[in-house]
Each structure stands twice: as structure tokens, then as C-alpha cells.
mmCIF file of all heavy atoms in Angstrom:
data_model
loop_
_atom_site.group_PDB
_atom_site.id
_atom_site.type_symbol
_atom_site.label_atom_id
_atom_site.label_comp_id
_atom_site.label_asym_id
_atom_site.label_seq_id
_atom_site.Cartn_x
_atom_site.Cartn_y
_atom_site.Cartn_z
ATOM 1 N N GLN D 1 75.033 189.694 -75.527
ATOM 2 C CA GLN D 1 73.782 189.931 -76.233
ATOM 3 C C GLN D 1 73.072 191.121 -75.599
ATOM 4 O O GLN D 1 72.781 191.123 -74.419
ATOM 5 C CB GLN D 1 72.873 188.676 -76.132
ATOM 6 C CG GLN D 1 71.525 188.817 -76.831
ATOM 7 C CD GLN D 1 71.650 188.906 -78.328
ATOM 8 O OE1 GLN D 1 72.340 188.090 -78.964
ATOM 9 N NE2 GLN D 1 71.048 189.913 -78.928
ATOM 10 N N MET D 2 72.811 192.113 -76.410
ATOM 11 C CA MET D 2 72.177 193.326 -75.967
ATOM 12 C C MET D 2 70.832 193.477 -76.626
ATOM 13 O O MET D 2 70.722 193.386 -77.853
ATOM 14 C CB MET D 2 73.071 194.546 -76.265
ATOM 15 C CG MET D 2 74.484 194.418 -75.732
ATOM 16 S SD MET D 2 75.481 195.906 -76.032
ATOM 17 C CE MET D 2 75.594 195.877 -77.810
ATOM 18 N N THR D 3 69.833 193.718 -75.853
ATOM 19 C CA THR D 3 68.471 193.904 -76.334
ATOM 20 C C THR D 3 67.900 195.216 -75.826
ATOM 21 O O THR D 3 68.405 195.808 -74.891
ATOM 22 C CB THR D 3 67.549 192.738 -75.930
ATOM 23 O OG1 THR D 3 67.470 192.675 -74.497
ATOM 24 C CG2 THR D 3 68.102 191.417 -76.451
ATOM 25 N N SER D 4 66.818 195.622 -76.456
ATOM 26 C CA SER D 4 66.122 196.877 -76.082
ATOM 27 C C SER D 4 67.127 198.020 -75.939
ATOM 28 O O SER D 4 67.105 198.741 -74.922
ATOM 29 C CB SER D 4 65.332 196.667 -74.794
ATOM 30 O OG SER D 4 64.358 195.640 -74.932
ATOM 31 N N LEU D 5 67.940 198.166 -76.932
ATOM 32 C CA LEU D 5 69.000 199.168 -76.843
ATOM 33 C C LEU D 5 68.465 200.597 -76.805
ATOM 34 O O LEU D 5 67.451 200.896 -77.446
ATOM 35 C CB LEU D 5 69.969 199.005 -78.008
ATOM 36 C CG LEU D 5 70.905 197.789 -77.885
ATOM 37 C CD1 LEU D 5 71.545 197.465 -79.221
ATOM 38 C CD2 LEU D 5 71.963 198.080 -76.820
ATOM 39 N N LYS D 6 69.164 201.427 -76.080
ATOM 40 C CA LYS D 6 68.781 202.814 -75.878
ATOM 41 C C LYS D 6 69.918 203.701 -76.365
ATOM 42 O O LYS D 6 71.073 203.277 -76.393
ATOM 43 C CB LYS D 6 68.486 203.091 -74.402
ATOM 44 C CG LYS D 6 67.423 202.209 -73.808
ATOM 45 C CD LYS D 6 67.317 202.436 -72.318
ATOM 46 C CE LYS D 6 66.310 201.505 -71.678
ATOM 47 N NZ LYS D 6 66.195 201.712 -70.240
ATOM 48 N N PRO D 7 69.626 204.942 -76.716
ATOM 49 C CA PRO D 7 70.705 205.860 -77.142
ATOM 50 C C PRO D 7 71.813 205.982 -76.093
ATOM 51 O O PRO D 7 72.978 206.147 -76.470
ATOM 52 C CB PRO D 7 69.989 207.183 -77.357
ATOM 53 C CG PRO D 7 68.591 206.778 -77.729
ATOM 54 C CD PRO D 7 68.308 205.557 -76.926
ATOM 55 N N GLU D 8 71.500 205.905 -74.826
ATOM 56 C CA GLU D 8 72.506 205.990 -73.786
ATOM 57 C C GLU D 8 73.414 204.791 -73.726
ATOM 58 O O GLU D 8 74.407 204.787 -72.973
ATOM 59 C CB GLU D 8 71.850 206.232 -72.409
ATOM 60 C CG GLU D 8 70.782 205.252 -72.047
ATOM 61 C CD GLU D 8 69.385 205.781 -72.332
ATOM 62 O OE1 GLU D 8 69.179 206.391 -73.387
ATOM 63 O OE2 GLU D 8 68.498 205.587 -71.460
ATOM 64 N N ASP D 9 73.108 203.712 -74.488
ATOM 65 C CA ASP D 9 74.003 202.599 -74.572
ATOM 66 C C ASP D 9 75.129 202.813 -75.580
ATOM 67 O O ASP D 9 76.052 202.015 -75.697
ATOM 68 C CB ASP D 9 73.241 201.337 -74.992
ATOM 69 C CG ASP D 9 72.256 200.888 -73.945
ATOM 70 O OD1 ASP D 9 72.585 200.900 -72.771
ATOM 71 O OD2 ASP D 9 71.122 200.466 -74.343
ATOM 72 N N THR D 10 75.062 203.932 -76.291
ATOM 73 C CA THR D 10 76.103 204.276 -77.242
ATOM 74 C C THR D 10 77.434 204.418 -76.542
ATOM 75 O O THR D 10 77.583 205.225 -75.603
ATOM 76 C CB THR D 10 75.749 205.567 -77.999
ATOM 77 O OG1 THR D 10 74.550 205.368 -78.781
ATOM 78 C CG2 THR D 10 76.894 205.995 -78.913
ATOM 79 N N ALA D 11 78.435 203.668 -76.998
ATOM 80 C CA ALA D 11 79.757 203.688 -76.364
ATOM 81 C C ALA D 11 80.681 202.779 -77.129
ATOM 82 O O ALA D 11 80.268 202.030 -78.010
ATOM 83 C CB ALA D 11 79.670 203.205 -74.909
ATOM 84 N N VAL D 12 81.943 202.827 -76.813
ATOM 85 C CA VAL D 12 82.894 201.850 -77.254
ATOM 86 C C VAL D 12 82.858 200.717 -76.203
ATOM 87 O O VAL D 12 83.059 200.980 -75.016
ATOM 88 C CB VAL D 12 84.309 202.396 -77.384
ATOM 89 C CG1 VAL D 12 85.290 201.296 -77.787
ATOM 90 C CG2 VAL D 12 84.342 203.530 -78.425
ATOM 91 N N TYR D 13 82.652 199.513 -76.673
ATOM 92 C CA TYR D 13 82.573 198.367 -75.776
ATOM 93 C C TYR D 13 83.880 197.559 -75.879
ATOM 94 O O TYR D 13 84.346 197.221 -76.956
ATOM 95 C CB TYR D 13 81.401 197.477 -76.161
ATOM 96 C CG TYR D 13 80.064 198.038 -75.730
ATOM 97 C CD1 TYR D 13 79.526 199.157 -76.343
ATOM 98 C CD2 TYR D 13 79.361 197.481 -74.671
ATOM 99 C CE1 TYR D 13 78.343 199.687 -75.939
ATOM 100 C CE2 TYR D 13 78.155 198.017 -74.242
ATOM 101 C CZ TYR D 13 77.620 199.117 -74.899
ATOM 102 O OH TYR D 13 76.419 199.626 -74.486
ATOM 103 N N TYR D 14 84.422 197.273 -74.716
ATOM 104 C CA TYR D 14 85.704 196.546 -74.608
ATOM 105 C C TYR D 14 85.492 195.231 -73.861
ATOM 106 O O TYR D 14 84.705 195.152 -72.924
ATOM 107 C CB TYR D 14 86.736 197.359 -73.818
ATOM 108 C CG TYR D 14 87.094 198.708 -74.391
ATOM 109 C CD1 TYR D 14 86.367 199.845 -74.037
ATOM 110 C CD2 TYR D 14 88.151 198.831 -75.284
ATOM 111 C CE1 TYR D 14 86.692 201.076 -74.548
ATOM 112 C CE2 TYR D 14 88.479 200.076 -75.775
ATOM 113 C CZ TYR D 14 87.756 201.196 -75.423
ATOM 114 O OH TYR D 14 88.085 202.431 -75.937
ATOM 115 N N CYS D 15 86.227 194.212 -74.299
ATOM 116 C CA CYS D 15 86.275 193.006 -73.498
ATOM 117 C C CYS D 15 87.654 192.928 -72.843
ATOM 118 O O CYS D 15 88.645 193.500 -73.320
ATOM 119 C CB CYS D 15 86.035 191.734 -74.329
ATOM 120 S SG CYS D 15 87.250 191.359 -75.614
ATOM 121 N N ALA D 16 87.713 192.285 -71.683
ATOM 122 C CA ALA D 16 88.924 192.170 -70.932
ATOM 123 C C ALA D 16 88.960 190.829 -70.205
ATOM 124 O O ALA D 16 87.920 190.278 -69.846
ATOM 125 C CB ALA D 16 89.049 193.315 -69.937
ATOM 126 N N ALA D 17 90.155 190.352 -69.955
ATOM 127 C CA ALA D 17 90.348 189.098 -69.230
ATOM 128 C C ALA D 17 91.093 189.350 -67.967
ATOM 129 O O ALA D 17 92.052 190.147 -67.910
ATOM 130 C CB ALA D 17 91.080 188.081 -70.108
ATOM 131 N N ALA D 18 90.670 188.653 -66.904
ATOM 132 C CA ALA D 18 91.299 188.770 -65.581
ATOM 133 C C ALA D 18 91.718 187.405 -65.089
ATOM 134 O O ALA D 18 90.956 186.768 -64.330
ATOM 135 C CB ALA D 18 90.313 189.438 -64.616
ATOM 136 N N PRO D 19 92.901 186.942 -65.426
ATOM 137 C CA PRO D 19 93.325 185.629 -64.950
ATOM 138 C C PRO D 19 93.681 185.579 -63.477
ATOM 139 O O PRO D 19 93.701 184.486 -62.897
ATOM 140 C CB PRO D 19 94.568 185.354 -65.821
ATOM 141 C CG PRO D 19 95.099 186.720 -66.172
ATOM 142 C CD PRO D 19 93.873 187.569 -66.328
ATOM 143 N N SER D 20 93.955 186.725 -62.859
ATOM 144 C CA SER D 20 94.392 186.749 -61.475
ATOM 145 C C SER D 20 93.716 187.848 -60.688
ATOM 146 O O SER D 20 94.300 188.451 -59.809
ATOM 147 C CB SER D 20 95.899 186.857 -61.363
ATOM 148 O OG SER D 20 96.361 188.042 -62.018
ATOM 149 N N GLY D 21 92.463 188.130 -61.004
ATOM 150 C CA GLY D 21 91.702 189.129 -60.261
ATOM 151 C C GLY D 21 91.818 190.539 -60.770
ATOM 152 O O GLY D 21 91.141 191.430 -60.247
ATOM 153 N N VAL D 22 92.660 190.752 -61.756
ATOM 154 C CA VAL D 22 92.828 192.092 -62.339
ATOM 155 C C VAL D 22 92.625 191.975 -63.847
ATOM 156 O O VAL D 22 93.171 191.084 -64.497
ATOM 157 C CB VAL D 22 94.234 192.640 -62.044
ATOM 158 C CG1 VAL D 22 94.425 193.999 -62.742
ATOM 159 C CG2 VAL D 22 94.454 192.770 -60.536
ATOM 160 N N TYR D 23 91.867 192.890 -64.390
ATOM 161 C CA TYR D 23 91.645 192.940 -65.841
ATOM 162 C C TYR D 23 92.884 193.552 -66.511
ATOM 163 O O TYR D 23 92.983 194.768 -66.667
ATOM 164 C CB TYR D 23 90.399 193.713 -66.191
ATOM 165 C CG TYR D 23 89.120 193.028 -65.813
ATOM 166 C CD1 TYR D 23 88.392 193.407 -64.716
ATOM 167 C CD2 TYR D 23 88.643 191.970 -66.595
ATOM 168 C CE1 TYR D 23 87.194 192.772 -64.371
ATOM 169 C CE2 TYR D 23 87.454 191.310 -66.265
ATOM 170 C CZ TYR D 23 86.735 191.713 -65.136
ATOM 171 O OH TYR D 23 85.557 191.076 -64.832
ATOM 172 N N ASN D 24 93.805 192.680 -66.881
ATOM 173 C CA ASN D 24 95.062 193.181 -67.466
ATOM 174 C C ASN D 24 95.227 192.834 -68.929
ATOM 175 O O ASN D 24 96.288 193.092 -69.525
ATOM 176 C CB ASN D 24 96.259 192.660 -66.674
ATOM 177 C CG ASN D 24 96.243 191.151 -66.441
ATOM 178 O OD1 ASN D 24 95.439 190.433 -67.014
ATOM 179 N ND2 ASN D 24 97.161 190.684 -65.599
ATOM 180 N N TYR D 25 94.234 192.198 -69.559
ATOM 181 C CA TYR D 25 94.220 191.966 -70.990
ATOM 182 C C TYR D 25 92.984 192.615 -71.564
ATOM 183 O O TYR D 25 91.884 192.343 -71.131
ATOM 184 C CB TYR D 25 94.245 190.480 -71.310
ATOM 185 C CG TYR D 25 95.484 189.747 -70.846
ATOM 186 C CD1 TYR D 25 95.471 188.977 -69.702
ATOM 187 C CD2 TYR D 25 96.692 189.852 -71.564
ATOM 188 C CE1 TYR D 25 96.619 188.285 -69.268
ATOM 189 C CE2 TYR D 25 97.816 189.187 -71.136
ATOM 190 C CZ TYR D 25 97.773 188.425 -69.985
ATOM 191 O OH TYR D 25 98.910 187.771 -69.568
ATOM 192 N N TRP D 26 93.222 193.460 -72.532
ATOM 193 C CA TRP D 26 92.126 194.257 -73.115
ATOM 194 C C TRP D 26 92.090 194.197 -74.624
ATOM 195 O O TRP D 26 93.140 194.139 -75.265
ATOM 196 C CB TRP D 26 92.240 195.722 -72.681
ATOM 197 C CG TRP D 26 92.018 195.958 -71.207
ATOM 198 C CD1 TRP D 26 92.916 195.775 -70.216
ATOM 199 C CD2 TRP D 26 90.788 196.368 -70.594
ATOM 200 N NE1 TRP D 26 92.346 196.081 -69.023
ATOM 201 C CE2 TRP D 26 91.045 196.420 -69.201
ATOM 202 C CE3 TRP D 26 89.541 196.672 -71.086
ATOM 203 C CZ2 TRP D 26 90.056 196.819 -68.301
ATOM 204 C CZ3 TRP D 26 88.546 197.069 -70.179
ATOM 205 C CH2 TRP D 26 88.814 197.131 -68.794
ATOM 206 N N GLY D 27 90.918 194.222 -75.205
ATOM 207 C CA GLY D 27 90.772 194.334 -76.636
ATOM 208 C C GLY D 27 90.807 195.767 -77.049
ATOM 209 O O GLY D 27 90.936 196.687 -76.244
ATOM 210 N N GLN D 28 90.688 195.983 -78.341
ATOM 211 C CA GLN D 28 90.739 197.306 -78.925
ATOM 212 C C GLN D 28 89.407 198.050 -78.843
ATOM 213 O O GLN D 28 89.354 199.285 -78.979
ATOM 214 C CB GLN D 28 91.200 197.269 -80.362
ATOM 215 C CG GLN D 28 92.648 196.829 -80.529
ATOM 216 C CD GLN D 28 93.621 197.860 -79.958
ATOM 217 O OE1 GLN D 28 94.227 197.639 -78.908
ATOM 218 N NE2 GLN D 28 93.764 198.980 -80.639
ATOM 219 N N GLY D 29 88.336 197.326 -78.640
ATOM 220 C CA GLY D 29 87.033 197.910 -78.515
ATOM 221 C C GLY D 29 86.257 197.878 -79.839
ATOM 222 O O GLY D 29 86.810 197.819 -80.916
ATOM 223 N N THR D 30 84.938 197.879 -79.695
ATOM 224 C CA THR D 30 84.066 197.978 -80.856
ATOM 225 C C THR D 30 83.003 199.005 -80.606
ATOM 226 O O THR D 30 82.413 199.083 -79.487
ATOM 227 C CB THR D 30 83.450 196.596 -81.169
ATOM 228 O OG1 THR D 30 82.673 196.694 -82.379
ATOM 229 C CG2 THR D 30 82.608 196.082 -80.026
ATOM 230 N N GLN D 31 82.720 199.807 -81.586
ATOM 231 C CA GLN D 31 81.779 200.933 -81.405
ATOM 232 C C GLN D 31 80.351 200.451 -81.549
ATOM 233 O O GLN D 31 79.993 199.782 -82.502
ATOM 234 C CB GLN D 31 82.059 202.032 -82.446
ATOM 235 C CG GLN D 31 81.100 203.209 -82.422
ATOM 236 C CD GLN D 31 81.256 204.080 -81.194
ATOM 237 O OE1 GLN D 31 82.387 204.461 -80.828
ATOM 238 N NE2 GLN D 31 80.130 204.362 -80.516
#
């Protein structure tokens, strides 16, 4: 949940999972 958004928040946002301490599963991203 993102509030009070600013122009500098513009980016591709990715989610990732780290089952063993390393983020080795990644999504495609959303703009």
C-alpha cells in the first residue's frame, strides 16, 4: 500500500521471494 505518492516514486516495482535468505524468485514487475 503506497500513499502520498511522489514523482520520484515512479519506477517498475518488483516482488520477490527469498525462501533461503536470497531473493531468487522474481516477478515481471508492474509500472
Side-chain angles (χ1 to χ4, degrees):
Q1 179 67 51
M2 306 183 294
T3 61
S4 301
L5 285 165
K6 305 173 181 179
E8 52 262 42
D9 294 319
T10 296
V12 177
Y13 284 71
Y14 300 90
C15 66
S20 59
V22 177
Y23 289 104
N24 52 9
Y25 297 102
W26 292 83
Q28 292 294 106
T30 184
Q31 176 70 48

